């Protein structure tokens, strides 16, 4: 997807990270409630928004950032060629993204 | 249409791309649900919007760009002479367009 | 009307063009649903709007332009002396007008 | 009224012009539906609005202009001393006024 | 009240003028419907509002001005010590005041 | 409270002044309807808000000012340690405060 | 959490402080109504928001500040690895935070 879609303005393309949950038998199962997925990887970003005097405000995340996403908001995107895949792509405005997740 | 309609300000004229779907018999059929069509070709763009100090912010797409469109929004346009044609033309504001689709 | 009404600010005076429809007998009939008329001729424009620092943004259409109009919006105007006429005059804000129609 | 009320900022004082209608017997009668009156004479204007950097944007009409008024909007004003009079005074913001009517 | 309350920003302190109405017996009576009172005297004004670049836009009325007030809007103010008085004090934002009334 | 809470931006910490009411027997009683309390003392203020170009607009009241408050608006604040006290603290945005009350 | 989540723009990461309440038997019990918790510790802040001319307005609180929080607003955040913990993390926009609490 990141090779195909170049977001515009302050839009950010994010792939949600499906958390694994351990079953009673100890097997990891993907969670069913997609609504609970609130982490994602930034695949691509737009160049940023223009200010009132025409200069550019770049977006505050970059490709590869692991980000914390809001429970609501964002637009789900799916290309024709991806319609059978399970992966979940989303576009967020830069100021909708809550924060960057860092490895400890 | 592109030869006829010159969009104003930050408006972008887009022709939606009808996806083909393979039938059980292997024949490609156009999808019926037009709402699911979310790809288009930019036919023409306006010059851009004016900022508060009067300078111009050009639109972020250009003629020929293949773009990803939002599920809602945009205005369907039809000229008198095109009323029998099946093609579907739409005007979007530049900031409604989600991204540019690139060939792999 | 254009000789009589001078629009203010970014308002644009437009006369709608009634499309002709061919009847079964081959005679052209005016369409009844005025709502479907979406082309017009610019009769007069205001000087434009002021920006926040007081300078002028001129309107993006000019007298004589054939324009594509939105399905909704605009204000219908009628002067006392025109009340028996069938012609239809409308005022649009410059940014409501969708585009300029060019001859092929 | 114009001698008494000095409008503030971008407010414009307008006296509506009652149109005459010919009765079946050939006598001109004032129209009853005041809502249909959409022409007026500018009696006085405010100095204009301040922009964000403090400079003044003057109003676009001047005393004596015959103006086309919107169907809705404006504030009806009546001074104590005028309460028995039939004349109808109104205050409009400059950008509510549709256009200036010129003599042919 | 004017000695006690110093309005802030673009707020204006106004005392409404109760109009007198002649009764059938020829005696002037105060009108009962306070809502119909639309004239007032400016008792005090704030220094004005700040523009986006921090400079001051002074209010457009001054102490002593007789002003025309809108039918709705404004805040009625009453100090503890005035609770038995009949006078009626109001705070308006500068841009709510319709105009200044001048003596003929 | 003023020693403990430092308001941010254009927020103002106010302690409402409970008015006393004389009973039939001549004894002053505190009013029960807190909603009617519209006077307060400024205990602390924030530094002010930033304008669009980053400079500071200071608040228009200062510690110790006796202020007239609007009937609605403001946020009631209570710290853990004050939960048994009767005093009533409130935070207002600077532009919500109606005016400064001066001693005669 | 503070080591893991870096807030963006003007967002502030806050850990709510659970107040203790003395039971009849003299034992301190945590309050059940989380809605009543209105104090928190700032764990991390974003760099601030951009003004219209592109310069930065830093947030008005810093790591370690004890802050007074509004009753409503803010977003509760929970990372996968913290889902069994009782601690409560929240993101507020800088201008939602009411004030800084200082030690007496």
């Amino acid at each position: 997807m990141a090779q195909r879609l170049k977001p515009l303005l302050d839009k950010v393309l994010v792939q949600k990270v499906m958390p694994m949950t351990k079953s009673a038998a100890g097997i990891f199962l993907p969670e069913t409630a997609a609504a609970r997925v609130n982490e994602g990887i930034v695949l691509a970003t737009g160049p940023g928004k223009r200010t009132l005097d025409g200069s550019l405000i770049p977006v505050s995340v970059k490709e590869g950032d692991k980000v914390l996403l809001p429970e609501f908001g964002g637009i789900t995107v799916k290309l024709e060629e991806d319609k059978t895949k399970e992966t979940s792509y989303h576009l967020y405005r830069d100021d909708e993204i809550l924060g960057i997740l860092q490895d400890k």
Side-chain angles (χ1 to χ4, degrees), chain A:
Chain A
M1 172 69 99
Q3 287 170 297
R4 294 237 33 222
L5 180 63
K6 203 180 93 187
L8 294 175
L9 300 169
D10 63 337
K11 296 180 182 77
V12 176
L13 179 64
V14 172
Q15 179 174 3
K16 281 200 177 170
V17 178
M18 290 293 169
M20 290 296 156
T21 308
K22 216 186 271 198
S23 73
I27 302 161
F28 280 87
L29 298 169
E31 280 196 64
T32 51
R36 295 176 65 187
V37 180
N38 59 5
E39 297 180 22
I41 302 292
V42 173
L43 297 184
T45 74
K49 253 203 304 205
R50 295 269 158 199
T51 64
L52 291 181
D53 64 359
S55 61
L56 194 77
I57 299 182
V59 299
S60 46
V61 295
K62 62 179 193 304
E63 199 188 313
D65 278 350
K66 194 174 180 185
V67 289
L68 187 66
L69 301 167
E71 197 173 350
F72 300 106
I75 292 175
T76 303
V77 291
K78 238 179 194 325
L79 299 184
E80 286 309 311
E81 68 211 42
D82 293 324
K83 284 214 164 136
T84 54
K85 292 189 191 161
E86 280 302 320
T87 50
S88 165
Y89 301 107
H90 304 266
L91 280 169
Y92 289 88
R93 288 197 329 271
D94 182 45
D95 59 5
E96 285 184 305
I97 295 175
L98 298 176
I100 296 173
L101 293 162
Q102 296 165 316
D103 288 326
K104 276 175 292 199

